[in-house]
Amino acid sequence: MYTLTGLKLKNPTILAAGVLGTTGASLCRVAREGGAGAVVTKSIGPMPKTGHFNPSMVKLDCGFLNAMGLPNPSYPGFLQELEIAKKDSRVPVIASIFGGSPAEFKEVAEGLLPAKPNAFELNVSCPHAEGYGAAVGSDPCLVEAVTEAVKDVVNVPVWVKLTPNVSDITCIGTAAESGGADAVVVINTLKGMAIDIESGYPVLGNRSGGLSGKAVKPVAVKCVYDLYTALEIPVIGVGGVSTWQDAVEMMMAGAAAVQVGSAVYDRVDIFSEISTGIEAFLQRKGYSDVKKLIGLSHEMV
């Protein structure tokens, strides 16, 4: 059993927000069939949103480009799905939430409390939702205020998911820590765009979006590495993790756990595969505990 911000996980792999997190049933499937140590819901906001026009997601040679636009039924509409996930998943369920202000984040957190999520993840990093996500997460003062607002009304861990689309991510991470965050999640997608050369039109309905998948892993590893040095709270790594080797690399950079997103599109049981690979690696290296990996690369300098 693995402990992260007070939560008991069977292994250090977590379903990332936005992937198979729209229903209680899909969250349970990832936990039971996929072997995830914990699951994070789709990001839920104060009001229903339909998101951006299609195409909203395309597969590229290097990963995925998406501009979903934070579609969600609002917190009253998602409450039942969260209750199902909590009842049947048998793993910690983290509610991902978003808003345009500290008051909206507080409203959504309070609205989901009846379903008893094990933790909250604050989405201050989505790059393609005007007025939300990275529009909030690029301002250190606002990140601190949002974190404080949620911490004031919940008694479970609060994680803050950071955007890489800033000049200094450690400044944003420090603001989250100052606001009382129990952990930071690093990173959300990188701003990106694709154009159809025959028509000249952008491929996505929103024109631009966020890049995920293998291409972003080196960026994620560097962000994790820098934040591990800058912060006292745990750093959860996400971005391009699709193998146990990727997870080990992320943990050596400083990640206390890893989230998996895009790789789930290929196979749901990716979590079991990664956790089994980590265990085999630990045995081969003679490490007694997975915690021996966390921040190991910092000791090599």
Side-chain angles (χ1 to χ4, degrees), residues 162-164 166-174 186-187 223 226-227:
L162 306 183
T163 175
V166 291
S167 59
D168 182 6
I169 197 170
T170 62
C171 177
I172 308 299
T174 300
V186 186
I187 56 175
C223 290
D226 291 348
L227 285 160

Side-chain angles (χ1 to χ4, degrees), residues 40-197:
V40 184
T41 71
K42 172 71 177 169
S43 293
I44 304 300
M47 297 174 292
K49 278 176 61 68
T50 56
H52 296 312
F53 293 116
N54 288 326
S56 57
M57 185 169 184
V58 294
K59 188 172 184 178
L60 308 175
D61 292 338
C62 59
F64 292 92
L65 195 61
N66 90 84
M68 303 299 292
L70 296 174
N72 79 102
S74 79
Y75 65 87
F78 191 71
L79 200 57
Q80 185 177 9
E81 300 298 336
L82 186 55
E83 289 170 345
I84 292 171
K86 271 289 295 177
K87 179 182 176 182
D88 298 330
S89 68
R90 301 174 188 169
V91 300
V93 178
I94 294 88
S96 174
I97 64 174
F98 72 91
S101 67
E104 287 189 349
F105 271 93
K106 177 181 177 181
E107 176 190 348
V108 178
E110 287 183 309
L112 292 177
L113 280 177
K116 299 181 179 178
N118 297 99
F120 285 93
E121 182 177 283
L122 312 187
N123 182 348
V124 294
S125 47
C126 175
H128 46 74
E130 187 175 353
Y132 299 107
V136 175
S138 300
D139 182 342
C141 294
L142 196 48
V143 169
E144 182 174 353
V146 162
T147 308
E148 285 180 344
V150 176
K151 286 290 291 185
D152 283 345
V153 295
V154 305
N155 59 359
V156 295
V158 173
W159 304 350
V160 181
K161 189 168 186 178
L162 306 183
T163 175
N165 301 303
V166 291
S167 59
D168 182 6
I169 197 170
T170 62
C171 177
I172 308 299
T174 300
E177 185 175 52
S178 297
D182 297 280
V184 293
V185 181
V186 186
I187 56 175
N188 209 318
T189 55
L190 290 159
K191 288 182 179 180
M193 189 176 186
I195 296 172
D196 175 53
I197 63 170

